[in-house]
């Protein structure tokens, strides 16, 4: 088979944009985007943390009969050489094989599985272990899962705990590829190490084999189609002109929406405009005319977006480990409740920081009530804030969980995005970065996003004043942008066309 690394299908090629594989084969010299390069140290640090925990020898109590050996392969080696070294290590009965590689054909397709760790079992088979920056399991009193401590891989036995495994398609496909390529050497089980670097949670690769084979069987598209993640893809600069030349419908309606329209015979923006599809046709026309946001015909200023005392809130979290920054803007002053220390379940610094934010917010609320004033706190798309409010309340003894839950359920905690989605229509979505500029607000750091904030958080954690200042400024701008959108809607969304006007 052809062992040219660029021709081998990886797990990541089977998720999301399938055209990306064709672009990689056609344009192998296109470099990663700067944002991807910024993420790489985070990935490398996660893998290094795991590899640093792996055992180096038998522990006291393992007994002399418990053999142990390990080999760390160079991930920079050509795939042919790395696979040969991996197969040789399997033949030599090596206990831990780090940074291994396996290639082969699955249903006729040449594939590559880069396996972070292969762990020899007592019966001589091997268990593939993938290292991920996802949260692969969450504590759950009603579920059980098994894990092997990372420090005991190759030596210890599984431990059962109250946790619920989380499904991540790419991670699942990675273990499925490794399981199939190992063939008779596969242990029939696999493991995933996520943000909790201390635990390798056992997963069943058979749960992913059939979906993986189904994905492999899908033909690689011959032309691009826009998805939401295209903006962060290295090949977008190649795909966008091609899509525009085709006047492709996915330029306006990405992902599954484009698929539905194609099934109806509408594959171009022009066809959508002339199809008489009501809102769909009007949105296509607005996109053609460069209008990012429209107001719905029945728009009326939402009363819930104003109060006597208004606080706009935005949270910044590090991956799924914990929230390190709660920002609050009262219309005049921005307050940042931040910790640059480690966050997580046992973080005293995170608890102290959240308690300071929560106490200040509730004291402001109490004072407003005492003065006979109305009070509301706002955020944009409450999923993140609600998650970290409740996660903090559950984890930290100093927080009254019932009080947090009651606050979230009250009409004094308002998700601005709910009103935006009810009253506006966007040709590029309705995210804060789309709506706030229409409301007259601009970010000082226009290129900042969640991915870059993760990289900056790492720098801030290690003392970078510049990174800390950027994160605080970005969080403040998110708070101020939320306020700007509220004021804009409350004023009747001036200056933007109504949906019916594009009939």
């Amino acid at each position: 088979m052809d062992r040219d690394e660029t021709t081998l299908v990886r797990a990541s090629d089977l998720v999301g944009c399938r055209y990306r594989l064709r672009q990689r084969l056609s344009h192998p010299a296109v470099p990663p985007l700067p944002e991807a390069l910024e993420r790489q140290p985070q990935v490398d640090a996660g893998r290094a943390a795991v590899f640093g925990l792996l055992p180096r020898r038998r522990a006291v109590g393992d007994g002399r009969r418990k053999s142990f050996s390990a080999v760390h392969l160079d991930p920079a080696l050509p795939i042919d050489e790395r696979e040969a070294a991996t197969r040789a290590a399997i033949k030599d009965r090596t206990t831990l094989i780090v940074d291994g590689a396996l290639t082969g054909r699955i249903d006729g397709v040449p594939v590559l599985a880069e396996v972070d760790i292969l762990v020899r079992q007592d019966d001589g088979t091997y268990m593939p272990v993938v290292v991920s920056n996802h949260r692969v399991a969450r504590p759950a009193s009603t579920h059980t899962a098994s894990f092997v401590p990372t420090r005991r891989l190759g030596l210890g036995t599984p431990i059962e705990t109250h946790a619920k495994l989380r499904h991540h398609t790419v991670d699942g496909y990675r273990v499925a590829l490794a399981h199939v390529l190992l063939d008779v050497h596969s242990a029939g089980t696999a493991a995933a190490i996520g943000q909790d670097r201390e635990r390798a949670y056992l997963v069943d690769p058979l749960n992913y084999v059939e979906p993986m084979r189904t994905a492999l069987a899908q033909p690689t598209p011959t032309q691009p189609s826009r998805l939401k993640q295209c903006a962060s893809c290295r090949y977008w600069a190649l795909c966008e002109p091609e899509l525009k030349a085709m006047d492709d419908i996915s330029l306006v309606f990405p992902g599954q929406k484009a698929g539905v329209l194609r099934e109806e015979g509408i594959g171009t923006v022009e066809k959508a405009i002339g199809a008489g599809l009501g809102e769909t046709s009007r949105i296509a026309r607005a996109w053609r005319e460069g209008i990012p946001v429209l107001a719905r015909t029945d728009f009326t200023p939402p009363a819930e977006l104003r109060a006597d005392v208004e606080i706009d809130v935005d949270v910044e979290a590090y991956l799924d480990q914990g929230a390190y920054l709660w920002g609050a803007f009262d219309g005049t002053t921005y307050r940042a409740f931040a910790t640059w220390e480690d966050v997580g379940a046992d973080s005293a610094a995170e608890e102290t920081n959240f308690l300071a934010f929560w106490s200040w917010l509730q004291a402001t609320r109490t004072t407003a009530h005492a003065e006979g004033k109305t009070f509301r706190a706002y955020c944009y798309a409450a999923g993140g804030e609600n998650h970290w409010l409740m996660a903090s309340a559950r984890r930290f003894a100093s927080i009254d969980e019932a009080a947090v839950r009651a606050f979230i359920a009250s009409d004094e905690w308002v998700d601005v995005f709910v009103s935006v989605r009810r009253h506006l229509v966007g040709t590029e979505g309705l995210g804060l970065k789309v709506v706030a500029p229409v409301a007259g607000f601009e970010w000082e750091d226009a290129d900042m996003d969640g991915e870059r904030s993760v990289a900056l958080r790492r720098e801030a954690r290690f003392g970078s004043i510049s990174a800390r200042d950027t994160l605080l400024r970005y969080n403040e701008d998110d708070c101020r942008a939320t306020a700007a959108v509220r004021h804009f809607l409350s004023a009747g969304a001036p200056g933007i066309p109504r949906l019916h006007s594009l009939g």
Side-chain angles (χ1 to χ4, degrees), residues 171-434:
D171 293 345
Y173 286 177
R174 289 172 69 193
V175 299
L177 285 173
H179 165 74
V180 174
L181 293 173
L182 282 167
D183 196 19
V184 297
H185 296 294
S186 174
T189 189
I193 300 174
Q195 293 178 21
D196 183 349
R197 308 304 186 188
E198 301 274 353
R199 297 182 174 191
Y201 280 94
L202 301 187
V203 298
D204 186 350
L206 293 178
N207 290 336
Y208 303 97
V209 169
E210 285 308 312
M212 178 268 292
R213 287 185 183 275
T214 299
L216 275 176
Q218 299 300 312
T220 303
T222 58
Q223 62 186 39
S225 182
R226 180 174 168 243
L227 303 174
K228 288 184 178 180
Q229 59 264 41
C230 284
S232 60
C233 177
R234 71 174 77 181
Y235 303 112
W236 178 239
L238 299 173
C239 294
E240 185 180 23
E242 189 173 349
L243 288 167
K244 287 184 175 179
M246 296 187 298
D247 194 34
D248 192 77
I249 190 63
S250 68
L251 287 165
V252 185
F253 301 102
Q256 185 57 38
K257 292 180 181 178
V260 171
L261 288 169
R262 286 195 178 97
E263 289 175 0
E264 297 176 1
I266 301 170
T268 67
V269 178
E270 196 60 37
K271 279 190 176 182
I273 292 173
L277 297 177
E279 183 174 305
T280 296
S281 296
R282 293 186 180 106
I283 291 173
R285 182 179 295 279
W287 180 86
R288 175 78 81 213
E289 295 179 9
I291 301 171
V293 177
L294 299 157
R296 293 190 182 277
T297 302
D298 59 353
F299 175 85
T300 54
E304 68 271 14
L305 297 187
R306 299 310 305 263
D308 296 330
V309 177
E310 301 171 343
I311 307 294
D312 292 283
V313 174
D314 186 70
V315 66
E316 303 292 342
Y318 182 63
L319 301 175
D320 202 20
Q321 294 179 10
Y324 65 89
L325 170 58
W326 291 88
F329 176 60
D330 66 5
T332 302
T333 303
Y334 167 75
R335 292 173 175 82
F337 299 85
T339 176
W340 306 114
E341 298 182 36
D342 281 336
V343 293
D346 301 321
S347 172
E350 185 186 353
E351 179 173 9
T352 299
N353 186 62
F354 179 72
L355 179 60
F357 162 72
W358 178 251
S359 298
W360 173 84
L361 183 67
Q362 295 309 301
T364 303
R365 182 189 189 196
T366 299
T367 299
H369 292 168
E371 294 175 353
K373 297 177 179 178
T374 56
F375 169 93
R376 286 193 179 99
Y378 302 92
C379 65
Y380 200 94
E385 280 75 15
N386 287 352
H387 169 75
W388 288 114
L389 283 168
M390 287 308 305
S392 301
R394 293 188 185 106
R395 287 184 296 145
F396 302 138
S398 60
I399 307 299
D400 183 343
E401 182 178 341
V404 173
R405 183 178 289 105
F407 174 70
I408 291 174
S410 75
D411 61 5
E412 293 184 323
W413 176 238
V414 180
D415 184 349
V416 177
F417 181 63
V418 172
S419 292
V420 167
R421 190 169 51 186
R422 182 185 303 128
H423 297 291
L424 303 180
V425 175
T427 59
E428 295 287 345
L430 290 172
L432 188 59
K433 286 286 184 69
V434 173

Side-chain angles (χ1 to χ4, degrees), residues 1-85:
M1 66 175 260
D2 185 358
R3 295 296 184 92
D4 178 0
E5 182 180 347
T6 62
T7 69
L8 299 173
V9 175
R10 302 163 171 81
S12 59
D13 295 321
L14 303 177
V15 179
C17 175
R18 300 296 299 274
Y19 190 70
R20 184 175 59 239
L21 174 60
R22 188 176 297 278
Q23 293 287 51
R24 192 182 82 218
L25 298 178
S26 302
H27 307 281
V30 175
L33 294 177
E35 305 89 82
L37 296 176
E38 285 184 348
R39 289 196 299 271
Q40 194 57 45
Q42 169 198 331
V43 175
D44 294 341
R47 283 165 39 84
V50 170
F51 297 163
L53 293 173
L54 293 174
R56 291 177 170 80
R57 61 185 66 86
R58 296 190 306 266
V60 175
D62 283 332
R64 294 184 178 181
R65 292 187 178 181
K66 189 75 172 179
S67 63
F68 182 85
S69 59
V71 60
H72 290 248
L73 303 180
D74 183 354
L77 283 173
I79 288 300
D80 270 358
E81 294 182 30
R82 189 146 60 108
E83 186 192 22

Side-chain angles (χ1 to χ4, degrees), residues 434-456:
V434 173
V435 180
V438 174
F441 184 87
E442 296 293 338
W443 277 258
E444 188 168 344
D445 301 282
D447 60 341
M448 271 288 290
D449 58 19
E451 291 284 3
R452 186 170 173 226
S453 73
V454 171
L456 285 174

